[in-house]
Amino acid sequence: MAAAGEGSYGLVIGGVEAPAGGGESTELLDPATNRPLARVAVGTPDDAARAMEVAQGAFDGSDWSGGDGARRGKALYRLAQLLDEQQEEFSLLESRNMGKTLREARVDVGYVVRTLEYVAGLADKVEGQTIPVPGSRFNYTVREPLGVTVHIAPWNYPLLLAMRSVVPALAAGNAVVLKPASLTPLTAVRFARLAKTAGVPDGILNVVPGPGGRLGEALVRDRRCRSVSFTGSSEVGRRIAVLAAERTIPATLELGGKSPVVVLPDADVDRAAKGIAFGIFGNAGQMCWAGSRLIVHSSLRAPVLDRLRAIAEAMRLGPGTEEGVEMGPLVSREQEGRVLDYVRAAREEGGTIVTGGDKPSSSALAAGNFVRPTVVADLPPGARAAREEIFGPVLSTFSYDELDDAVRLANDTPYGLFASVWTRDLASAHHLARRLDAGMVVVNEPPLTFPQTPFGGFKESGLGTEQGAGVVAAYTRVKNVLVNVAVPRKKR
Ligand code: NAD
């Protein structure tokens, strides 16, 4: 496989990296230039079946699953150390593949290191219960690994979101098959190489890049698949839910969002504007939890919009790998087109473009998938750009006078992933935290999460949670054991 820049990447099945069975590979482009970046194998349904078979064999045959959690924890902790040592190489690769800035990629890789450390510590703390029952009986529960778990990841935080579910599934003793997004598989393949060095047995972590429809569905449909963790769009998430239901397996779904940011009249305007900008322009707006609907008290509308415009216009756009760049390109030309289509729709539906709304004028950026940070005002709340997930650096803004109206606007969406509130008043903060219909609410912070706190959406944003102290147990099944311990009477 001839390749440019980052070389060639295969499928990792049973600890061996190899081309796809059908021999097909595809060229990935650098989002900042649209020049060739790397070549990657395109897995087929046959590769899916082979990965599942190898994973099942490793689950049944290695001492990973039956062995003790402490050993798995040690391997994961070793993996954290190795990843930490290679943090810069991983960050550079993620930045070149996905387009995010090197600074953002470093945060992502650091987050994976922290996830590995945290989950490693949970691996030997998956406990059953003893439950009192009547009579001479002893009842206890055991938590067992599920078997082969399938993980399907999106392209916006390629390594971080894959590992958010893969690492706890490994800690619980499962064998994993991961399908990264077609556009961004490079760090996942590199991670599988590292897992081998850390002592994760061959076949326990398999990575199969390829298209969602053909390959992803084949993995979920496979009779050996015992659970699926999906992070991606709500549309595909619904499809995964149907496939999982047909096979009676659990599905964790982490889906889309259109998250509200509510600014109360007493908010610290400078702090709020910085946080709002970070929450919509970070990762070039390609965040499930982007604060994409600003709901600001009418008394602060002008100062907040002024500051947002100033921040947006001062942001330095450029290739993610260039030091000092604050916003990289969108992941693909297709994504760029999609975002610009939404801006066009916003104009047609009565929106005023406060800033941005087009590609930057610099000729140095013309070949890349760049869109300027954009703020839209005056959109009717029912407009497409105000309701649908754009997944780009586009903020829609609304104002309110009464708090009840702010809450109504905030909750008037099919999504329920995330919400943020800016206020100096503690009582209002807690009051809104209760009333906002979202799986996560932050106050006076841009989007922020930690491996030890739960992450999950309400309504069409998902089903189940990732992260938190229960995350390893979530990849187990509960077996109840009842033993009659009555001592038999001796016959006289
Ligand atoms: P997507 O749904 O198009 O794809 C996600 C993954 O699913 C990819 O690996 C893709 O190849 C695969 N896939 C596509 N069709 C499939 C099918 N029929 N069967 C099995 N797999 C299939 O999403 P995307 O464009 O990669 O990512 C953007 C979306 O992800 C946004 O909606 C965003 O909000 C969401 N997201 C959610 C979270 C969260 O934690 N809630 C995090 C990041 C992204």
Side-chain angles (χ1 to χ4, degrees), residues 151-157 161 164 179-184 210-220 228 230-237 239-240 243 253-258 286-290 331 335 338 389 391 415 417 440 455-457 461-462 466:
H151 305 254
I152 300 178
W155 48 255
N156 59 337
Y157 291 86
L161 291 176
R164 185 172 67 174
K179 195 205 84 61
S182 324
L183 290 172
T184 55
R214 259 188 315 148
L215 181 64
E217 292 211 6
L219 290 170
V220 182
V228 54
F230 172 83
T231 305
S233 60
S234 296
E235 187 189 351
V236 177
R239 173 81 190 128
I240 298 287
L243 293 176
L253 305 174
E254 298 284 355
L255 310 177
K258 189 76 181 175
Q286 299 159 114
M287 298 184 280
C288 55
W289 60 356
V331 73
Q335 189 63 14
R338 184 183 140 93
E389 185 181 40
F391 225 53
Y415 296 111
L417 186 60
M440 287 166 284
F455 191 109
S461 289
E466 300 284 3

